[in-house]
Amino acid sequence: MMGEDGILLEAEIRKKLRDFQLEVSFAAGRGCLGLLGPSGCGKSMTLKSIAGILAPDEGRIALNGGRQVLFDSRQRISLSPQKRRAGYLFQNYALFPNMTVRENIMSGLGAASGHRRASQRKERAEEMMERFRLKGLGDRYPGQLSGGQQQRVALARILAYEPQTLLLDEPFSAMDAYLREELRLELAGVLKDYAGASVLVTHDRDEAYQLCSHLVLMKEGRVLAKGKTRELFQNPGTWEAARLTGCKNISPVRRLGPFRVKALAWGGLELETDQPVGEEVCAVGIRAHDFCPLSEGEAEAWEGRPGANRIPVGKPSISEMPFEWHITLENGIWWKKEKDIHTHDAAGVIPPWLRVDPSAILLLKGEAEPTRQAFL
Amino acid sequence: MDWSPIWISMKTAGLSILITFFLGLFAAWRVVCIRNERWKALWDGILTLPLVLPPTVAGFFLLYIFGVKRPLGRFFVEYFGVKIAFSWGAAVIAAVVMSFPLMYRSARGALEQVDPDLADAARTLGMSEWRIFCRVLLPNGRSGIASGGILAFARGLGEFGATAMIAGNIAGKTRTLPMAVYSEVAAGNMDRAFQYVEIMAIIALGSILLMNYGTFRADKGRRQR
């Protein structure tokens, strides 16, 4: 898991938490590494351990191909957060409310970052304010800024001292939806220019896909899967990983043949696959966009052909979104169909049949057999 | 009318709040910094003890420690030639000990209420713990700390039980206003007692209003910016 420049950050963390044992290990090169998982899965703990805010029970955290050790339980090394030079972006930005924007940005500058004199610090702060479009706001207090401006101040404050790692903890969760898209693009730009290791913690799969070149999928303190973002989304491997990457339809299956399964959650629907079904496959996944509608005539034409995978729609329940229909088939399958904002009538939209191409069926393994309960 | 109790009370309360304020604030910061929960609870218990003990019991302990025949008391007499028990200094010690828990507890609450992310952010930014205390914890917890100061001052001004035990009720030396009220009532001089009561009430109310005004201004200033 590394770019051309080799490993910039490697982490191996074990820590006993109240509900579970946190046990993760990963390595990151250039390009942002995402920790994707549901809330409370230990991803923030992992990030805090790298920054030195929390101490793992055991493990090792090192930078620059292992040349610079931040934490090593065997060698009894644990640098204070002050010495790790991590740039940590907090969920709510953690700007000091008693300091002005300028003072906030200057608060991380000092002899360690090569800004010994007050005039140097001031100059650097002005430079950062210019870069983050904060000119003229230097004397304001954080309480007087919008959410987007606050995030830019927090980023300016971190990047001012050229941190060795960039650690981003759910940077958009405290933000209004309409600001999110724009700021994501902005952050993508910052991440592209940044030369050190960067780690982004998120539970939002779009955010992870857009910003991270590599992903670590986490659940209850464990790593479910790791790899290149696009490959993980295309082939998540396990049903837990499939769910984290946003696969809406997952069903436990019984193997009927080398290319044939019976989906137990969808009324015993039989499906053909284009990959051989191994013994270890316990579930299949189909993304909600991967269905195509069939009219009665087309459905008849498909009947009996190999790889038809016809699915009866039955009596669906339909819910309207601005640009999509969310349709739940009678057998429980989710289908998302695009629409335009002027259409409100679903009458002509719902076909009698759907089909799914065998190549769109994700064959999934898993430690535990997925129960119906797990998907509700 | 004898004016000395007023002067002695102001002097005692003034000096003791100066000591209590910084001591309580410092103790609160150190306790907040303790990571081990058991040690934290133990220290908290010890530092809060004077609040839950009856003042006379606390005074008894002080007398036990600072009495002329006790090691610490004897040490002061032999090396500095100072007798602590039944001196004005004893009145200050009594006021400090009795008002300390109020300052400590309020300051601790105020420091703990500051968003822990702020201190963590300051750490990742490379600020030293002392700098975090001065630049982050204090400014963001100041209204709670100030109200702790008010409470501690009021407690020091009204201190009676422990003062009576260790400083006694010596006219012109350790007789504070509460002592004077007690003495006049005991001697049947209700009119004089009433004068002292009036003065006491005015001083107490005045100082609290003054400090409340100060915190109100501080809060308002913050909200406006």
Side-chain angles (χ1 to χ4, degrees):
Chain A
M1 291 190 57
M2 67 202 85
E4 309 86 338
D5 309 74
I7 296 176
L8 290 174
L9 164 72
E10 54 197 302
E12 187 196 326
I13 293 163
R14 278 181 299 281
K15 185 175 176 67
K16 195 154 172 35
L17 303 177
R18 199 186 302 161
D19 298 331
F20 53 80
Q21 168 97 9
L22 178 64
E23 196 159 1
V24 294
S25 74
F26 53 81
R30 257 207 89 164
C32 188
L33 173 81
L35 302 182
L36 177 63
S39 341
C41 73
K43 46 196 196 320
S44 284
M45 296 279 185
T46 306
L47 209 61
K48 290 198 160 122
S49 302
I50 298 171
I53 297 167
L54 280 180
D57 297 335
E58 276 171 61
R60 182 183 152 88
I61 301 165
L63 297 178
N64 299 323
R67 281 193 295 278
Q68 193 185 350
V69 179
L70 301 182
F71 178 86
D72 192 321
S73 55
R74 245 166 290 149
Q75 292 179 55
R76 294 181 170 272
I77 296 173
S78 180
L79 292 189
S80 69
Q82 280 91 342
K83 289 196 180 125
R84 295 194 188 191
R85 290 191 56 209
Y88 196 110
L89 187 70
F90 285 80
Q91 226 173 92
N92 51 5
Y93 318 129
L95 297 173
F96 306 125
N98 57 311
M99 297 185 200
T100 62
V101 167
R102 185 178 290 106
E103 287 167 339
N104 262 290
I105 295 174
M106 279 160 58
S107 64
L109 301 174
S113 63
H115 302 84
R116 207 169 286 277
R117 286 202 305 271
S119 61
Q120 289 173 315
R121 288 199 281 272
K122 228 175 199 147
E123 205 173 295
R124 181 69 175 153
E126 296 301 326
E127 209 180 295
M128 295 312 288
M129 285 195 281
E130 173 105 48
R131 178 173 160 199
F132 283 93
R133 295 188 285 126
L134 294 163
K135 273 206 117 188
L137 299 177
D139 295 319
R140 301 260 191 109
Y141 286 89
Q144 300 170 314
L145 303 179
S146 71
Q149 287 169 332
Q150 286 184 14
Q151 188 180 68
R152 293 209 296 271
V153 174
L155 276 172
R157 181 172 78 173
I158 293 164
L159 291 169
Y161 59 92
E162 286 165 356
Q164 290 192 303
T165 50
L166 205 51
L167 308 173
L168 313 166
D169 191 356
E170 305 259 9
F172 305 104
S173 62
M175 199 157 287
D176 292 326
Y178 68 93
L179 276 172
R180 233 175 263 173
E181 312 262 326
E182 192 188 326
L183 282 157
R184 260 195 228 156
L185 284 177
E186 218 172 87
L187 189 65
V190 169
L191 286 171
K192 222 179 91 206
D193 294 341
Y194 181 70
S198 46
V199 182
L200 171 86
V201 156
T202 181
H203 64 264
D204 182 311
R205 103 198 121 107
D206 291 347
E207 217 169 285
Y209 193 86
Q210 186 181 10
L211 296 171
C212 305
S213 60
H214 290 77
L215 280 185
V216 175
L217 304 182
M218 285 177 66
K219 189 192 169 189
E220 283 173 1
R222 288 174 307 115
V223 174
L224 285 178
K226 46 190 171 184
K228 287 197 172 121
T229 303
R230 285 180 194 149
E231 287 171 13
L232 267 184
F233 270 73
Q234 274 158 30
N235 187 14
T238 65
W239 62 269
E240 293 110 322
R243 193 156 54 151
L244 275 177
T245 57
C247 181
K248 285 270 184 270
N249 297 304
I250 298 171
S251 165
V253 291
R254 210 168 69 225
R255 186 175 177 274
L256 298 177
F259 292 93
R260 206 167 172 77
V261 292
K262 183 173 189 164
L264 304 174
W266 302 327
L269 184 72
E270 289 186 17
L271 293 165
E272 273 179 61
T273 65
D274 72 341
Q275 298 292 318
V277 181
E279 289 294 335
E280 69 285 1
V281 169
C282 67
V284 293
I286 306 171
R287 296 197 184 270
H289 282 105
D290 283 350
F291 297 96
C292 36
L294 298 179
S295 66
E296 272 313 340
E298 287 167 325
E300 250 167 65
W302 272 102
E303 190 171 5
R305 277 165 58 182
N309 285 345
R310 295 186 314 169
I311 303 163
V313 172
K315 282 197 203 93
S317 66
I318 301 160
S319 120
E320 186 186 340
M321 304 304 268
F323 302 104
E324 269 175 348
W325 295 109
H326 288 185
I327 300 149
T328 316
L329 273 49
E330 199 172 334
N331 59 14
I333 286 177
W334 263 69
W335 176 39
K336 284 190 189 172
K337 182 172 169 36
E338 280 167 30
K339 75 176 194 54
D340 70 58
I341 192 93
H342 305 294
T343 312
H344 306 295
D345 185 9
V349 174
I350 307 302
W353 294 85
L354 294 180
R355 80 169 281 268
V356 58
D357 198 81
S359 66
I361 295 175
L362 305 170
L363 297 179
L364 305 169
K365 301 170 207 163
E367 279 173 35
E369 190 86 2
T371 57
R372 258 222 83 130
Q373 228 63 41
F375 306 114
L376 298 176
Chain B
M1 189 177 103
D2 180 10
W3 291 91
S4 75
I6 302 166
W7 170 233
I8 291 170
S9 258
M10 297 299 282
K11 226 168 40 164
T12 312
L15 180 60
S16 67
I17 187 57
L18 217 70
I19 299 169
T20 302
F21 185 85
F22 290 105
L23 218 57
L25 191 54
F26 183 75
W29 177 47
R30 293 320 305 168
V31 170
V32 167
C33 286
I34 297 175
R35 298 241 171 169
N36 185 316
E37 288 299 318
R38 267 184 220 160
W39 282 111
K40 205 176 205 166
L42 184 67
W43 273 107
D44 190 68
I46 293 171
L47 295 172
T48 311
L49 204 58
L51 188 69
V52 283
L53 285 178
T56 47
V57 174
F60 180 84
F61 277 125
L62 287 177
L63 198 57
Y64 203 81
I65 295 167
F66 289 105
V68 186
K69 288 182 181 149
R70 295 289 158 196
L72 197 61
R74 204 159 56 204
F75 172 81
F76 272 101
V77 172
E78 281 171 11
Y79 288 87
F80 300 105
V82 182
K83 258 207 274 183
I84 298 222
F86 302 105
S87 68
W88 176 66
V92 174
I93 290 175
V96 166
V97 168
M98 297 313 291
S99 61
F100 174 85
L102 286 171
M103 182 64 211
Y104 156 73
R105 287 196 85 82
S106 310
R108 188 185 156 186
L111 295 180
E112 276 174 345
Q113 256 171 21
V114 176
D115 181 357
D117 279 354
L118 290 184
D120 283 338
R123 281 184 197 111
T124 61
L125 289 164
M127 285 162 80
S128 68
E129 294 298 325
W130 174 246
R131 212 175 135 73
I132 292 171
F133 177 64
C134 297
R135 296 278 283 140
V136 178
L137 295 179
L138 276 193
N140 291 302
R142 61 182 172 179
S143 59
I145 292 166
S147 64
I150 297 171
L151 281 175
F153 179 77
R155 182 70 186 82
L157 196 64
E159 170 45 34
F160 181 86
T163 312
M165 291 295 284
I166 189 184
N169 184 8
I170 306 162
K173 200 172 161 197
T174 65
R175 180 174 292 172
T176 57
L177 271 171
M179 294 288 185
V181 173
Y182 177 78
S183 302
E184 297 301 349
V185 171
N189 302 326
M190 291 306 278
D191 290 345
R192 274 211 219 149
F194 198 74
Q195 287 175 323
Y196 285 135
V197 166
E198 277 177 333
I199 295 166
M200 184 82 210
I202 290 168
I203 296 174
L205 191 64
S207 51
I208 303 272
L209 283 181
L210 193 74
M211 288 202 224
N212 267 344
Y213 180 68
T215 40
F216 172 72
R217 288 257 313 240
D219 272 3
K220 201 174 147 201
R222 156 130 353 128
R223 244 174 276 133
Q224 272 180 351
R225 347 192 264 216

